[in-house]
Amino acid sequence: MRIEDLISTYSYAGDIISAITCFVLLVLIRQALFFTTENDFRQVSKAIRIVMIGALANIAFALVITYMPESTAFVFLTRDVYHSCLLWALFLFAIYMTKLVGFPPNKFNTLRDVMGLIVNIGIFADILSPVTKIGFYESDGLWYDSTYVKPFTVTYIICMLFIAFMLLGYRRRLIKQLRITFIIVELIVAVVMIAENAVDSNTYTTSTFLIPIIAILILVHSKPFDLVTGSMDKSALASFIQHTGKRGREVDYVILEIRLDDLREMPEGLGRLLYSTWQTYFKDAMLFNYDKGMYVMTIRRRGASDAAKARLYSLVQEELPIYYRDYMLDYKILALHDVDFVKNLDQLKDIMTYALGKMDYNTSRIATEDEIERYSKMEYIVEQLQDIAEKGNLDDPRVRVYCQPVKNMHTGAFDTAEALMRIEIPKYGMLYPDVFIRIAEQKKLIHSLSQIIVHKTCKAMKRILADGYKIDRMSINFSLDELREPNFCNIILDIIHKNNIPESKIAIELTEGQSDSDYEIVHDRISVLKKYGIKFYLDDFGTGYSNFERVMKLGMDVVKIDRSMLIYSLGDQRAWYIMKHFAGVFKELGYDILFEGVESEELEDLCIDCDADYLQGYKFSKPMPVEDLWKYLER
Ligand code: C2E
Ligand code: CA
Ligand code: CA
């Protein structure tokens, strides 16, 4: 055909609309209407850019033919760019679908590389058309463009078959609504393509590449705004935090909690005020609806941190409270400044819950650096503890056993000791139980830590015995919660057995619980383990919920009198009398008495006067690494 026949059926409209649509989509993506940091999403926006270039190339193709038909090179060049872009976009789309349907990740890379190769060969063959005379070429002033037998079409069909295969072959993994929509979209695309081929036109070809991408954006990645407040939803907040975190952008947060319930909805007027506040107050603000009545405003921090803080301050202390009071709704306003360690929504949620929990309604404040510092330390500790628990390595070097020798008053020797846990982690060094035990209990991680302590204590014990030192036993602290573990006894016995030491070399220290349900389980566990010769210590007697009757029934062996009781007795005749009385009763009932926190000669005398069996305290030794315990033991 003659050159002008190449575009005789072509209209610019299709490509112009496609290019404009691409441009608008890219703007929307920048405006965060659609965004996520996921790599998949970046593929989508890349595909949009490529389709846009394709559309422009096809417009250029028509322009070249119309206005400079003699420049053959430009004809080929624009056609090549056009075809390459379309095939590349299709490839990205195909790969995106592969991910979306959950294609097995282990085979994913291979599949992607194979497809990439096929598409690149297709593009290459297409570019070579003028030479190979297959596809689109010119010969003796006439142009040839076969409809089906050309590299572009072949590659196109391979990709479409591939997508169809993914959609049908892995259909179970894709939620039904998505799957059906995609199938319908692909069918429409196929019909358009066939119709276009029938009339030998490519006016709407580009848009068929764009339609499935738009479907993806809307179905998978759209982040709609709430029209009243202008806020986006929680998942948008999650994406936003990850996004900014990865880019190292600094963000402050203002959290607005309004007490709404089933009866009280967000008043429209207040919603609008909120909207105008975040829209006008800060250029770089965004509003998210985290939960009912819970709004999170994010503010990109630019420039000096002090200035940002001052702006936050006036917002939180002056502007917002006025609005809220007008509506007679209870509120809390919390600003978080300098919280760059927040890298995901869970962390923000934790810090929000923590800081809001310490606030009264109808107050506003900026969380102090100190508080945030404490919080971030806690967060880090939790991460470390979780990691220790997940790894489940009984020799984890981060968990350290310290111990304190206990003096036996009958023999005068140190022949027992208490194991005390320490955690040594990179950022904060050595941590003491007061910093991590409560957290570990709350996060249900304590049992994993205890197992490590048991294992390491057994190991140390084995060494001590092998070296010929005399030691009766070492006692290990447990939290009552751990005893609820269904397999508690077996787990402990197992560790002892694996270390090949007699069970009686290990003792268990428990602090009394308050609920009766604890009692049943504790009683059970104690009777099982006692059969193996494991002794039980009642820790911290004199604090908390000492219930004499229950203590008796539990079958403890040693009662540890808490240091507070000892200190109290020092200056108070009656307290001393009560303590002495308790000690006497326990002894008469067959318990051994251990006094803890013996720091001085004076306290030691008090204990001797109470007929103590064991003494433990700084007077004899501070806790030390278990490896050093031998220094206190006799051969
Ligand atoms: P606890 O069981 O009452 O342990 C005795 C605590 O008193 C130890 O503190 C010890 O260092 C300290 N202490 C010893 N002698 C003296 C003294 O003469 N004067 C004073 N003022 N203090 C003395 P530590 O090691 O900081 O442990 C604190 C608590 O953490 C323990 O109290 C125990 O309840 C808990 N804990 C320690 N290790 C573990 C563990 O492995 N598992 C569990 N669940 N809790 C543990
Ligand atoms: Ca203890
Ligand atoms: Ca104690």
Side-chain angles (χ1 to χ4, degrees):
M1 61 182 111
R2 284 169 304 143
I3 190 158
E4 57 269 29
D5 292 338
L6 285 173
I7 52 166
S8 58
T9 51
Y10 176 76
S11 145
Y12 289 98
D15 281 314
I16 290 175
I17 288 178
S18 293
I20 291 174
T21 311
C22 287
F23 181 74
V24 170
L25 286 177
L26 291 173
V27 171
L28 288 178
I29 286 170
R30 273 200 80 86
Q31 298 288 321
L33 185 56
F34 308 105
F35 64 72
T36 98
T37 42
E38 294 140 30
N39 198 30
D40 321 355
F41 182 67
R42 253 179 269 139
Q43 303 300 322
V44 178
S45 55
K46 201 160 138 194
I48 298 174
R49 256 171 280 149
I50 294 177
V51 171
M52 185 163 82
I53 298 172
L56 295 174
N58 204 31
I59 294 172
F61 176 78
L63 289 174
V64 167
I65 288 178
T66 314
Y67 297 106
M68 36 203 273
E70 66 291 345
S71 41
T72 319
F74 276 114
V75 175
F76 282 120
L77 181 70
T78 46
R79 176 48 64 95
D80 287 342
V81 172
Y82 171 63
H83 275 178
S84 309
C85 284
L86 292 191
L87 288 179
W88 261 106
L90 194 59
F91 167 69
L92 290 175
F93 181 76
I95 292 308
Y96 179 90
M97 291 305 286
T98 313
K99 275 227 165 125
L100 199 66
V101 298
F103 187 80
N106 51 346
K107 298 187 214 141
F108 173 78
N109 283 351
T110 324
L111 186 77
R112 186 193 54 199
D113 295 346
V114 171
M115 276 308 285
L117 191 67
I118 292 175
V119 170
N120 277 322
I121 291 174
I123 290 174
F124 194 60
D126 196 63
I127 293 173
L128 286 184
S129 284
V131 183
T132 55
K133 313 276 186 229
I134 302 170
F136 178 62
Y137 59 94
E138 184 242 28
S139 177
D140 300 331
L142 285 181
W143 292 80
Y144 302 87
D145 192 8
S146 91
T147 311
Y148 296 107
V149 194
K150 57 179 172 182
F152 173 76
T153 317
V154 172
T155 318
Y156 178 84
I157 290 171
I158 293 177
C159 285
M160 288 304 273
L161 287 177
F162 177 84
I163 292 168
F165 172 75
M166 281 298 151
L167 278 175
L168 300 174
Y170 286 86
R171 61 178 171 279
R172 298 251 158 62
R173 309 219 191 159
L174 200 59
I175 35 176
K176 202 169 141 205
Q177 283 82 349
L178 280 184
R179 190 176 71 231
I180 290 174
T181 315
F182 280 127
I183 290 174
I184 292 174
V185 166
E186 291 304 331
L187 283 177
I188 293 173
V189 165
V191 169
V192 173
M193 284 302 273
I194 291 169
E196 285 219 298
N197 269 334
V199 299
D200 237 339
S201 150
N202 66 355
T203 299
Y204 298 105
T205 304
T206 322
S207 54
T208 64
F209 286 76
L210 200 54
I211 290 164
I213 294 175
I214 294 176
I216 286 185
L217 279 181
I218 292 172
L219 287 173
V220 188
H221 297 287
S222 68
K223 310 284 183 198
F225 287 96
D226 170 56
L227 288 180
V228 176
T229 56
S231 60
M232 282 183 271
D233 67 2
K234 192 170 168 173
S235 72
L237 177 60
S239 313
F240 175 84
I241 296 173
Q242 281 180 342
H243 191 69
T244 50
K246 276 201 187 142
R247 300 203 165 180
R249 289 205 181 126
E250 295 170 323
V251 174
D252 289 332
Y253 299 87
V254 179
I255 291 131
L256 322 156
E257 187 189 332
I258 312 160
R259 189 138 68 172
L260 300 174
D261 46 38
D262 291 344
L263 295 175
R264 270 179 303 185
E265 290 294 330
M266 178 78 162
E268 182 150 346
L270 179 57
R272 295 231 170 267
L273 278 175
L274 225 89
Y275 180 86
S276 60
T277 305
W278 79 266
Q279 285 279 297
T280 56
Y281 209 88
F282 292 102
K283 223 171 74 212
D284 300 315
M286 282 216 262
L287 188 70
F288 299 92
N289 188 354
Y290 177 80
D291 217 345
K292 188 169 185 186
M294 184 85 103
Y295 289 86
V296 175
M297 182 158 113
T298 61
I299 303 160
R300 278 269 298 281
R301 197 188 322 137
R302 299 178 197 251
S305 155
D306 278 351
K309 203 166 171 178
R311 289 207 298 177
L312 268 187
Y313 189 83
S314 78
L315 176 75
V316 165
Q317 302 286 358
E318 288 152 24
E319 315 258 327
L320 287 173
I322 296 170
Y323 290 155
Y324 284 113
R325 270 173 226 137
D326 285 350
Y327 284 89
M328 304 290 282
L329 281 167
D330 289 335
Y331 68 87
K332 291 179 187 179
I333 305 172
L334 168 74
L336 301 172
H337 178 63
D338 253 338
V339 288
D340 300 328
F341 62 89
V342 170
K343 292 278 188 284
N344 59 48
L345 186 59
D346 275 347
Q347 283 174 328
L348 181 70
K349 180 189 154 210
D350 280 355
I351 191 168
M352 262 160 57
T353 321
Y354 171 78
L356 287 171
K358 294 202 305 182
M359 281 174 74
D360 291 326
Y361 273 104
N362 307 323
T363 55
S364 55
R365 71 185 177 113
I366 299 182
T368 60
E369 264 163 55
D370 190 44
E371 191 177 317
I372 289 167
E373 168 78 41
R374 258 206 318 279
Y375 176 79
S376 72
K377 179 174 178 181
M378 197 174 88
E379 185 79 356
Y380 180 75
I381 294 172
V382 170
E383 267 170 31
Q384 288 286 321
L385 296 181
Q386 265 159 352
D387 188 61
I388 292 171
E390 258 163 44
K391 295 229 164 77
N393 170 15
L394 289 181
D395 285 304
D396 198 311
R398 287 170 289 185
V399 181
R400 311 251 342 237
V401 181
Y402 269 53
C403 72
Q404 200 176 20
V406 174
K407 187 174 180 183
N408 183 332
M409 300 308 282
H410 302 291
T411 62
F414 293 97
D415 51 16
T416 56
E418 175 180 14
L420 295 160
M421 186 174 350
R422 303 287 181 265
I423 301 284
E424 203 172 355
I425 49 175
K427 231 151 104 186
Y428 295 99
M430 185 84 87
L431 299 179
Y432 291 81
D434 57 322
V435 209
F436 64 84
I437 293 283
R438 273 254 310 282
I439 309 178
E441 286 175 346
Q442 280 166 4
K443 301 269 173 187
K444 310 259 177 256
L445 299 168
I446 189 77
H447 188 48
S448 306
L449 299 177
S450 290
Q451 292 176 46
I452 301 177
I453 294 290
V454 175
H455 170 70
K456 290 193 168 186
T457 306
C458 289
K459 225 164 125 179
M461 174 65 87
K462 194 172 171 179
R463 181 80 206 263
I464 289 168
L465 294 172
D467 289 347
Y469 291 99
K470 269 178 59 185
I471 182 161
D472 280 355
R473 61 184 166 267
M474 281 184 75
S475 57
I476 299 173
N477 293 282
F478 283 89
S479 303
L480 272 186
D481 261 357
E482 292 178 60
L483 273 70
R484 289 216 186 82
E485 289 284 327
N487 266 329
F488 180 79
C489 296
N490 287 334
I491 291 170
I492 302 301
L493 288 169
D494 215 45
I495 298 175
I496 300 177
H497 294 156
K498 287 213 170 99
N499 279 287
N500 221 350
I501 57 163
E503 294 99 340
S504 62
K505 292 289 174 194
I506 295 298
I508 291 179
E509 295 199 9
L510 294 173
T511 308
E512 226 192 320
Q514 37 184 319
S515 69
D516 281 337
S517 67
D518 285 340
Y519 170 77
E520 292 295 331
I521 298 169
V522 175
H523 187 266
D524 251 38
R525 303 283 190 258
I526 293 180
S527 30
V528 171
L529 291 175
K530 276 193 84 141
K531 293 201 191 97
Y532 289 88
I534 292 179
K535 286 208 175 345
F536 279 84
Y537 289 44
L538 178 72
D539 208 350
D540 300 339
F541 182 82
T543 64
Y545 312 84
S546 305
N547 175 327
F548 239 111
E549 194 194 335
R550 271 182 10 198
V551 172
M552 302 288 129
K553 281 194 189 151
L554 282 176
M556 293 282 177
D557 302 282
V558 179
V559 176
K560 298 185 81 164
I561 311 266
D562 192 71
R563 174 180 143 80
S564 58
M565 230 170 155
L566 203 57
I567 301 292
Y568 205 36
S569 307
L570 198 59
D572 187 321
Q573 189 70 45
R574 277 179 305 179
W576 181 79
Y577 183 76
I578 291 170
M579 186 181 76
K580 189 173 163 135
H581 180 73
F582 269 129
V585 173
F586 276 126
K587 286 203 66 131
E588 248 166 64
L589 289 166
Y591 295 92
D592 279 345
I593 299 289
L594 187 158
F595 284 90
E596 27 177 22
V598 182
E599 281 180 6
S600 63
E601 190 100 32
E602 207 182 358
L603 287 174
E604 186 181 3
D605 288 342
L606 261 184
C607 300
I608 292 171
D609 209 37
C610 288
D611 220 4
D613 299 291
Y614 295 101
L615 298 188
Q616 174 185 355
Y618 293 168
K619 172 165 191 287
F620 312 106
S621 162
K622 292 205 164 174
M624 66 187 108
V626 72
E627 294 78 24
D628 297 340
L629 180 63
W630 61 271
K631 293 177 187 158
Y632 284 80
L633 305 176
E634 291 178 0
R635 284 246 192 200

